[in-house]
Amino acid sequence: MSSYKVYVYTIIMLRKLQDKLNNLPRKPGIYQFLGHDDQLLYIGKAINLKSRVSSYWQKNNQLTPAKQLMISLLKKIKYTVVNNETEAILLERTLIQKYQPPYNIDLKDDKYWQYIKIDLRDPWPRVETTRRFLPAVKIRYFGPYTSGKDVIQLIKLIKKIYPYRICDRDLTSLPNGSVCWQYHLGLCLGPCEKKCSSRDYQGMIRQIIRFLSGDTKETINYLEQKILTAADNQDFELAATYRDQLIAVKKIKTKQQVLWHQKVNEDYLGLQQNNQYYFINLFKVRQGKLIDQNNFTVKKNQHLNDEEILLQFIEHYYQQTTDQPKKIIVAPNFKNLTKPIFAATRGRQQRLLKLAEVNALEYARFNHQPSATDKTLGVGLEQLQKGLLLTKIPERIEVYDISNIQGVYAVGSMIVFINGQAAKNEYRKFTIKKSNEPNDPAMMLEVLQRRINHPEWPAPDLIILDGGKTQLGMIKKIANWPTWTTIALAKQNEDIHLPNGHIIKFKKKSSAYFLLQRMRDEAHRFAINYYRQRHQKGGLLSQLDKISGLGPKTKKTLQQNFVSLNEIKLATEQQLKKLIGPTKTKLLINALN
C-alpha cells in the first residue's frame, strides 16, 4: 500500500473512530485492534491509553509497512484499564500467548526466563529466583536468564560466598526461637537470634548486588581477606574453601572480556534465520566489558519483516529487565530506528555485531538442526492437523489423565508436548479434592476447571483427554471453556472422539498414530507415579498414627520428607534430629526398633 493511500485511509478511519479515540482514558491498560468479523489483529500495552492509541494516526508517526497494513484492516478498538504499567505488561503477555494475534511476534523462549530477585523492602533481604518480573520501588531484579542451569550455578556460588538467610521466618521481633541449622553450618549470619547487626547484613547484600551487576572487584577483595584471616587462625581447611570460591569468581571475571577502556553500557543484537524461526543473539557490554550473552528464538511471521521482528523483540525484552543499556546496537541495514536503538557504524561496533551474528548462526545450527526423529515428528504433527481439521500444526499439546483406585488418593495429570517433544518442566499434577467416589469423568471435570484458572500458562493448540465420549462431554459443563480444540482418546480400538460427536481413527503405523500413543502413555506414566507417591505417603501416615507421642506437626514433617517407613529407618539419627528434634527422634527410633 502506497504512503498516499495509507494517509487517505488513515483519515477515513480516524473519522470513523474519532468518538472512540476521544473517549479513551488517560490511564494504563492494554488495547486490542480488531478487523473484519472481529478478527483480533494486534494487542498492545500503554501507560496512557489515549496517547498511545491516538499516536497511530499522527502524521509524523513512522509506521512500519506491517503496521500500515494492520491499520488498513482495522475496524474496531477495544481496551482494558489496569492499575499500573506492570499489570499492563502482564496482561498483554498473557493475552498474546492465549490468542497469538498475527501482528504480534511469537517469542518461543520467554516462558522459561528466570530472574534473581532481592527485595530491599525487607530489612533482612533474601536472594531468590523467580519467573515473575514485577518492577517496584526497592526491589532489584537481575536477568532475565534464558538458562535455568546458569541461574542455579550462580545462586549456589553466591550462597557459598555470602551467608544470607534463606528461611521465611518473621524477623520483625527478635530473638525469634532457636538459631537454625544454616547458622551452625556457617551458611547464615543468624539474624533470627541477633548474631549479626542489620548494618552488617545490609552491607553483605550490597556486595551481592554489585557482584550480580558485574562488578567482581569487591568480592575478590572480600575473599582474599577471608583467606588471610583463616590462615592467620591456622584454619587451613576454611582457607582452602575460600580459595576455591576465589578461583570460581576469577573464572567469571576472566569470561568478562575487556572491549573498551571507556565505561560504555551497550547491547548488541545479532540476527539470523531459517525457514521457521529467527534467532537472536544478545551481547551485553557493561563498563566496557563483555559480561554475558543470551540466545532467543522467534517464530517467523508472514506479516512482519526482519526489522519489525527485531523492533518488537526489543520492546518485549526490555520491558522485562531493569538492566537497561544506554545504547542497543543493531545491523546497519535497519533504518526506522529511534533512541536508544542505533545502527552499528564504527569499526569496533560492527566487529562485535558481526560476532553476535556468528553466535546467532551457531545457536541455530546447534539447537535447531532437524534430525530424522524431528522429521518423523513433523509428519505426525501434520497428520494430526489434517485429520483433526486444525487451523495450524499443533505446537503445544496438553494431555490429561486420571489415576485412582475406587476413588482413593485420586490424582490428575497434565503433560505437555511442544513440537512433538515432551516438555517436562511444563507438566502439572492435580490432587483431586471434590470427589472421593470412583468417578473418572467428574474428576476430569475438576482438573479441566482448575486448568482454565491459570491464564498465565501458554494456550494449547490441542487438548487430549485420556478416556472416551463421557470425558469429552465434561467440557460442556464448563461455562467459560476457551475455544481450545479438545478431543478424547479412547483406550479401546484407539478411537478419537471429536467435539461434534464424530469418531475417527488414524492408520496403524502412521506417524500420528504413534505420536498419540506416546503422548497417552506418557500421561498415564506421570499420573500413575503421582498416585503411587500419594498412596505411599498416605500409607506412611497411617503407620505413623500407630506410634504414640508423635503429634500432627511431626507426622506431617516426616510425611513431607519420606515416602515409607523403610526410608525413615535408613535415615541417620542426625538427619532426623534436624527435622523433628532430639526428643521425637529418640521416640521414633525406639518405636521402629
Side-chain angles (χ1 to χ4, degrees), residues 78-144:
K78 291 171 62 177
Y79 67 89
T80 302
V81 173
V82 296
N83 293 313
N84 50 53
E85 183 182 8
T86 299
E87 288 184 8
I89 291 171
L90 293 173
L91 181 57
E92 178 202 38
R93 184 177 178 185
T94 299
L95 292 178
I96 288 173
Q97 288 179 339
K98 183 175 181 179
Y99 296 111
Q100 300 178 6
Y103 290 91
N104 290 98
I105 65 169
D106 184 3
L107 187 59
K108 310 307 290 184
D109 317 80
D110 62 342
K111 59 180 172 291
Y112 304 111
W113 292 356
Q114 289 194 55
Y115 301 86
I116 294 175
K117 172 187 172 184
I118 301 177
D119 189 346
L120 298 175
R121 298 171 302 181
D122 186 340
W124 309 94
R126 290 174 291 172
V127 182
E128 303 171 293
T129 61
T130 180
R131 293 184 184 275
R132 301 197 70 185
F133 180 67
L134 302 170
V137 177
K138 290 191 175 182
I139 297 183
R140 292 294 304 269
Y141 287 92
F142 300 90

Side-chain angles (χ1 to χ4, degrees), residues 486-542:
T486 308
I487 64 171
L489 183 59
K491 290 181 174 63
Q492 283 188 334
N493 304 320
E494 305 295 340
D495 289 341
I496 299 170
H497 294 261
L498 304 181
N500 60 11
H502 293 166
I503 298 175
I504 66 169
K505 290 182 183 180
F506 284 100
K507 290 182 180 179
K508 288 188 176 181
K509 298 186 179 181
S510 69
S511 296
Y513 180 88
F514 287 125
L515 181 57
L516 285 171
Q517 272 196 334
R518 182 175 160 222
M519 290 189 291
R520 198 254 315 278
D521 291 346
E522 174 65 1
H524 192 57
R525 178 199 67 79
F526 188 60
I528 284 289
N529 283 348
Y530 184 39
Y531 164 77
R532 285 173 178 163
Q533 289 174 15
R534 286 205 69 211
H535 185 267
Q536 286 175 334
K537 288 197 172 185
L540 172 61
L541 188 60
S542 64

Side-chain angles (χ1 to χ4, degrees), residues 303-317:
H303 302 284
L304 305 174
N305 60 31
D306 297 4
E307 184 172 338
E308 290 162 339
I309 287 284
L310 196 60
L311 291 176
Q312 275 207 42
F313 168 80
I314 289 171
E315 181 182 5
H316 185 92
Y317 175 80

Side-chain angles (χ1 to χ4, degrees), residues 176-207:
N176 185 20
S178 59
V179 181
C180 69
W181 63 275
Q182 283 266 317
Y183 171 78
H184 292 296
L185 293 175
L187 300 175
C188 181
L189 290 180
C192 57
E193 193 70 13
K194 291 188 176 179
K195 296 296 183 182
C196 67
S197 68
S198 175
R199 182 178 178 181
D200 290 342
Y201 192 91
Q202 292 286 347
M204 177 186 65
I205 293 296
R206 285 193 294 272
Q207 287 188 37

